[in-house]
Amino acid sequence: MLIFGAAVIINRNPVASALSLVVSFLALAALFMSLNAYFIGIIQVLVYAGAIMVLFLFIIMLLDLRAEELRKINWVASAGGIAVALALIIQIVAVVVKLKTAKQPFPALPTLVLSGVEGSTSDDVHRIGLLLFSNYNLPFQIIGILILVATIGVVMLSRRETR
């Protein structure tokens, strides 16, 4: 996953970069599945590696992007970026080593009242769906409208005027 994540940045061809991002998403889904989070892994493949990447490739083809030209590397800026990245990695490792809760597994989802029975034995997907459509219904609907408006905007911007 990290190798293809780096390839997203290193590739100068936008299509090759987008395909590297797809492989990186698939590797992330495999990581979730190795942690027994099958639902999140499947959603990762369906939403990100599927739908989002189709949109990225559509935009790349719509804008007709070419491979970026080779240019001179600014070594001072590159060295500064590497130094900041190393400092960030050192800080993350230090926090994870000292944090006791980082070594504990995640707790299960809270039990919901399903059909009037406290602590029903339903699966996680059902509970996530109930949370999404009961407690978070308004944000879910707002995001749907926002995506609809963005889609209409992209279609209107990509439409060519006939003269």
Side-chain angles (χ1 to χ4, degrees):
M1 183 176 74
L2 294 176
I3 292 170
F4 282 100
V8 170
I9 299 169
I10 294 171
N11 280 330
R12 295 190 182 272
N13 186 353
V15 175
S17 181
L19 292 176
S20 296
L21 190 59
V22 168
V23 176
S24 180
F25 285 153
L26 291 175
L28 182 62
L31 180 66
F32 280 128
M33 289 192 181
S34 70
L35 294 171
N36 292 330
Y38 299 108
F39 178 70
I40 296 175
I42 298 284
I43 293 299
Q44 178 76 25
V45 170
L46 289 176
V47 173
Y48 289 109
I52 301 297
M53 288 313 302
V54 167
L55 287 176
F56 281 177
L57 288 173
F58 174 74
I59 290 170
I60 288 170
M61 290 177 196
L62 181 70
L63 295 177
D64 194 26
L65 298 176
R66 305 272 184 231
E68 188 177 321
E69 297 177 6
L70 290 176
R71 59 179 181 229
K72 192 174 182 180
I73 296 175
N74 185 353
W75 292 105
V76 175
S78 298
I82 290 171
V84 168
L86 286 175
L88 180 66
I89 289 171
I90 290 170
Q91 287 179 353
I92 289 173
V93 169
V95 167
V96 169
V97 166
K98 290 181 183 179
L99 191 63
K100 293 178 185 177
T101 57
K103 297 173 184 154
Q104 298 174 353
F106 286 113
L109 289 174
T111 57
L112 296 174
V113 177
L114 301 175
S115 303
V117 178
E118 179 71 30
S120 177
T121 60
S122 67
D123 58 350
D124 286 343
V125 177
H126 187 248
R127 292 192 292 181
I128 290 172
L130 283 176
L131 276 174
L132 183 64
F133 290 112
S134 62
N135 296 353
Y136 303 107
N137 192 15
L138 181 63
F140 185 75
Q141 297 297 325
I142 290 172
I143 289 172
I145 292 171
L146 184 65
I147 291 173
L148 175 67
V149 169
T151 304
I152 292 171
V154 166
V155 169
M156 294 302 292
L157 288 174
S158 66
R159 197 176 86 186
R160 298 193 178 164
E161 302 244 352
T162 55
R163 294 181 185 195

